[in-house]
């Protein structure tokens, strides 16, 4: 493809410092963008203040810098994007696809069947709030469509939104915008052509493609990398107490991330400087070598 058209991105949430799992996602998306001669953007997904850690956004950018990532343009902060998200909600509203929901979490889990990502919303408020209920969240109607897509690593995937997910929240009861909405609006606003990220977001992708379709936005290409798991088989994250990346010694962690992604950096490069390791990676990066599984135990 025309290199000018390839635009990738890394979109961390500032809930804590970067760890080996986030480094793997950043490295995969960066090297794919470089391979295509395209651009690579960083977007700070700071739209969930209750889960955020003070100082994490700056620490993440500092870490990326120390690890030798060079991003294009300014970092986009989702906390500045409320107008764009409201415009998208207006579009959904004008198409009759948005409605207020007064159900509590407990009411939903008591009455719903379990889907692939929690309870499938039973549609209680779809035709109006029941007497005595006040609007809490805003949901988009998930119609009967089957969403299918081809992931470059994970293959052909499909999801039936109304059966597997149900009407889903696009603006939360606490007033914050839902990740699913914000990510779609911003990927389009930033002209992202390819999304390379962890498999933990694979089940979210059909909701995002659906929102792209109903909002009239383009659908980018998708590559979902295997996620690193701990000994208990859980995805490494702040919640599972993943260790923060070492800011003093970027080379060993980057070397491990490359190995995790199926690449074969010579062990001698463990003693090289960071620039030399990146040069090796730019020259030898081969996406065909990335394991096609959804999760792999984290490298020691
Ligand atoms: N902000 C999300 C996360 O840190 C990633 C979003 C995305 O890549 O689409 O898990």
């Amino acid at each position: 493809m025309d290199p000018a058209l390839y635009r990738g991105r890394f979109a961390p949430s500032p809930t804590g410092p970067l760890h080996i799992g986030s480094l793997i996602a950043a490295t995969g998306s960066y090297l794919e963008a470089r391979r295509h001669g395209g651009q690579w953007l960083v977007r700070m997904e700071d739209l969930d203040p209750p889960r955020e850690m003070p100082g994490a956004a700056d620490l993440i950018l500092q870490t990326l810098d120390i690890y030798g990532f060079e991003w294009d343009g300014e970092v986009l902060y989702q906390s500045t994007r409320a107008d764009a998200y409201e415009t998208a909600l207006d579009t959904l509203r004008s198409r009759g696809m948005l409605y207020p929901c007064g159900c509590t979490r407990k009411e939903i889990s008591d009455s719903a069947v379990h889907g692939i990502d929690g309870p499938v919303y039973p549609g209680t408020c779809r035709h109006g709030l029941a007497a005595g209920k006040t609007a809490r969240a805003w949901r988009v109607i998930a119609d009967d469509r089957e969403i299918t897509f081809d992931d470059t690593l994970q293959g052909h995937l499909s999801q039936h939104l109304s059966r597997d997910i149900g009407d889903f929240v696009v603006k939360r009861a606490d007033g914050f915008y839902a990740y699913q909405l914000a990510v779609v609006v911003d990927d389009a606003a930033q002209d992202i052509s390819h999304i390379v990220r962890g498999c933990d977001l694979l089940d979210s992708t059909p909701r995002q493609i659906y929102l792209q379709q109903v909002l009239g936005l383009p659908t980018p290409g998708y590559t979902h990398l295997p996620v690193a798991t701990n000994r208990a088989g859980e995805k490494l994250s702040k919640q599972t107490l993943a260790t923060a990346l070492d800011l003093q010694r970027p080379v060993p962690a980057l070397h491990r991330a490359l190995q995790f992604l199926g690449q074969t950096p010579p062990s001698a490069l463990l003693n090289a400087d960071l620039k030399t390791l990146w040069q090796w990676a730019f020259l030898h990066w081969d996406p065909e070598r990335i394991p096609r599984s959804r999760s792999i135990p984290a490298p020691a």
Side-chain angles (χ1 to χ4, degrees):
M1 75 181 278
D2 179 349
L5 298 179
Y6 189 105
R7 277 164 76 90
R9 54 46 160 202
F10 177 55
S13 303
T15 51
L18 295 183
H19 48 77
I20 185 76
S22 13
L23 179 64
I24 289 164
T27 303
S29 67
Y30 186 51
L31 288 171
E32 271 299 89
R34 293 286 299 232
R35 179 173 77 89
H36 286 90
Q39 293 197 310
W40 187 72
L41 285 71
V42 173
R43 181 171 70 231
M44 195 56 67
E45 300 214 319
D46 55 347
L47 83 175
D48 191 357
R51 284 185 59 232
E52 283 159 22
M53 185 190 103
D58 287 347
L59 178 61
I60 287 172
L61 296 178
Q62 187 197 2
T63 307
L64 289 174
D65 190 40
I66 289 175
Y67 272 69
F69 290 90
E70 291 176 7
W71 57 90
D72 292 289
E74 299 284 310
V75 174
L76 182 70
Y77 287 80
Q78 290 194 319
S79 54
T80 65
R81 300 277 298 149
D83 287 352
Y85 307 146
E86 281 303 328
T87 304
L89 291 177
D90 285 344
T91 305
L92 296 174
R93 196 174 285 119
S94 69
R95 299 194 177 157
M97 300 189 66
L98 188 71
Y99 66 87
C101 173
C103 299
T104 61
R105 252 175 223 276
K106 175 152 181 8
E107 284 165 340
I108 298 170
S109 63
D110 285 352
S111 63
V113 290
H114 208 79
I116 53 174
D117 191 18
V120 176
Y121 183 64
T124 322
C125 298
R126 200 190 250 216
H127 301 294
L129 288 171
K133 292 229 182 230
T134 46
R136 292 167 48 82
W138 288 84
R139 289 182 187 273
V140 63
I141 292 178
D143 67 17
D144 234 3
R145 91 184 64 167
E146 183 88 24
I147 302 283
T148 60
F149 68 105
D150 288 298
D151 186 276
T152 58
L153 281 179
Q154 308 299 334
H156 186 73
L157 294 152
S158 78
Q159 206 179 73
H160 193 97
L161 276 192
S162 56
R163 187 191 61 213
D164 298 332
I165 301 286
D167 299 346
F168 56 96
V169 171
V170 280
K171 190 170 183 185
R172 299 173 3 183
D174 57 10
F176 296 113
Y177 300 96
Y179 156 69
Q180 308 291 357
L181 179 80
V183 75
V184 163
V185 169
D186 288 338
D187 282 331
Q190 296 189 286
D191 279 329
I192 300 302
S193 65
H194 285 79
I195 293 178
V196 180
R197 61 186 179 190
C199 261
D200 50 316
L201 294 165
L202 201 54
D203 287 339
S204 289
T205 306
R207 265 168 282 180
Q208 295 171 18
I209 293 175
Y210 176 65
L211 285 175
Q212 288 152 8
Q213 290 176 354
V214 295
L215 290 168
L217 302 172
T219 291
Y222 287 99
T223 299
H224 283 89
L225 304 169
V227 290
T229 53
N230 63 16
R231 283 206 196 103
E234 302 157 330
K235 182 203 160 199
L236 295 185
S237 67
K238 190 181 155 227
Q239 287 72 30
T240 57
L241 306 176
T243 324
L245 290 175
D246 185 344
L247 300 186
Q248 313 304 322
R249 300 176 66 234
V251 166
L254 182 59
H255 195 279
R256 279 203 301 279
L258 289 165
Q259 282 187 319
F260 181 92
L261 290 168
Q263 315 299 305
T264 50
S267 47
L269 284 180
L270 278 168
N271 302 314
D273 60 18
L274 184 61
K275 205 162 171 220
T276 308
L277 181 55
W278 273 122
Q279 271 160 1
W280 181 92
F282 296 148
L283 212 59
H284 296 92
W285 169 249
D286 179 3
E288 291 297 320
R289 303 186 69 106
I290 304 172
R292 286 166 192 267
S293 52
R294 290 197 184 191
S295 65
I296 302 179

